[in-house]
Amino acid sequence: MKLVLKSKKRGKFILKLFILSFILYVIFLIVNQNINIQRKKNKIVSLNEKLSLQNIENEELSKELESEGFI
């Protein structure tokens, strides 16, 4: 009888350990994905700033070309 009770307790312990491990793994994945999302957002902001600067430079060059009569 004692052997059966110990086996059931070990089974419950292993199940609880597995559930805890799974929960920690899911939390890790969520945090990791949030970090990746923030990095991508920062990259998008940086690229948008570069795009704005390039558009301004293109407009200036177009105006310069128009004033010189090339266009």
Side-chain angles (χ1 to χ4, degrees):
M1 187 66 169
K2 289 183 181 180
L3 183 61
V4 173
L5 289 177
K6 286 183 181 180
S7 177
K8 286 183 180 180
K9 286 182 182 180
R10 283 186 185 165
K12 288 181 181 179
F13 175 74
I14 291 173
L15 179 64
K16 287 179 183 179
L17 185 62
F18 174 76
I19 291 172
L20 178 63
S21 298
F22 182 73
I23 289 171
L24 291 174
Y25 177 70
V26 169
I27 290 171
F28 170 77
L29 286 179
I30 291 171
V31 169
N32 191 31
Q33 288 300 320
N34 283 336
I35 290 170
N36 286 336
I37 289 170
Q38 190 61 41
R39 285 181 185 158
K40 296 293 181 178
K41 284 182 179 180
N42 290 340
K43 188 173 184 179
I44 289 172
V45 168
S46 173
L47 289 173
N48 281 334
E49 288 174 357
K50 287 180 181 180
L51 178 63
S52 295
L53 290 174
Q54 188 63 48
N55 284 336
I56 291 170
E57 186 177 338
N58 289 348
E59 288 176 11
E60 289 174 356
L61 290 173
S62 291
K63 289 177 184 177
E64 189 176 317
L65 286 174
E66 285 177 1
S67 67
E68 293 179 3
F70 288 112
I71 296 180

